[in-house]
């Protein structure tokens, strides 16, 4: 393939990856917004906990991604094939989301409970045994 063809392919793949990343970020933000917007004075503790965990997973995911980004910047550029790097990044994003969710499920109890208490106070929820 000519240099022009390779450049075009790389540019096109970069564009698709960027679009997919934007859609994924929009979906993640939408999930957090949806969980938060469903909270009301009539919300159960389970609903509050799910909303808190959704936010917390998103937050942990963003922290992990920033650590990865900083690490990648410190490594500098190498001669890795652009397409292979994009595929790797796509799978890495999925892995980071799963890792963030697992961290919240395994270790996030205190933060989640604090968020639930804050939401209960914010919405004036006193009876948390509702379903």
């Amino acid at each position: 393939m000519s240099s022009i063809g390779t450049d075009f392919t790389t540019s096109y793949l970069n564009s698709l990856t960027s679009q997919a990343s934007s859609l994924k970020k929009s979906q993640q933000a939408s999930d957090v917004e949806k969980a938060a917007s469903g909270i009301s004075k009539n919300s159960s503790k389970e609903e509050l906990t799910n909303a808190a965990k959704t936010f917390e997973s998103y937050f942990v995911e963003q922290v992990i991604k920033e650590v990865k980004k900083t690490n990648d910047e410190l490594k500098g550029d190498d001669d890795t094939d652009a397409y292979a790097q994009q595929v790797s990044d796509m799978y890495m994003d999925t892995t980071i989301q799963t890792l963030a969710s697992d961290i919240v499920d395994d270790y996030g109890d205190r933060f989640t409970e604090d968020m639930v208490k804050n939401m209960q106070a914010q919405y004036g929820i006193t009876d948390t045994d509702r379903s």
Side-chain angles (χ1 to χ4, degrees):
M1 184 182 291
S2 72
S3 174
I4 294 173
T6 302
D7 291 343
F8 174 77
T9 302
T10 300
S11 176
Y12 179 70
L13 291 172
N14 285 338
S15 173
L16 289 177
T17 301
S18 177
Q19 290 172 8
S21 179
S22 294
L23 288 173
K24 184 181 268 188
K25 287 178 184 176
S26 296
Q27 181 60 45
Q28 292 166 331
S30 177
D31 290 346
V32 171
E33 184 178 341
K34 180 180 174 187
S37 68
I39 302 301
S40 72
K41 184 170 176 57
N42 299 319
S43 295
S44 68
K45 186 168 184 176
E46 180 181 357
E47 291 170 320
L48 297 174
T49 300
N50 287 338
K53 282 188 172 189
T54 299
F55 171 76
E56 189 176 3
S57 292
Y58 179 75
F59 177 77
V60 170
E61 180 183 337
Q62 297 311 306
V63 170
I64 293 169
K65 284 182 178 182
E66 284 301 313
V67 169
K68 180 189 176 300
K69 181 177 156 187
T70 300
N71 185 51
D72 290 347
E73 289 173 359
L74 291 174
K75 284 192 304 188
D77 293 332
D78 58 5
D79 293 337
T80 304
D81 178 60
Y83 177 73
Q85 185 63 46
Q86 290 169 349
V87 171
S88 174
D89 289 346
M90 181 181 69
Y91 286 109
M92 181 59 73
D93 284 347
T94 302
T95 301
I96 289 171
Q97 288 174 351
T98 302
L99 178 62
S101 181
D102 289 347
I103 288 171
V104 169
D105 288 342
D106 292 344
Y107 304 105
D109 291 337
R110 185 169 180 178
F111 183 75
T112 300
E113 287 175 19
D114 288 345
M115 287 182 66
V116 169
K117 287 177 186 175
N118 283 329
M119 286 188 285
Q120 287 172 326
Q122 171 96 20
Y123 291 97
I125 300 172
T126 56
D127 179 16
T128 59
D129 293 331
R130 285 180 251 147
S131 294

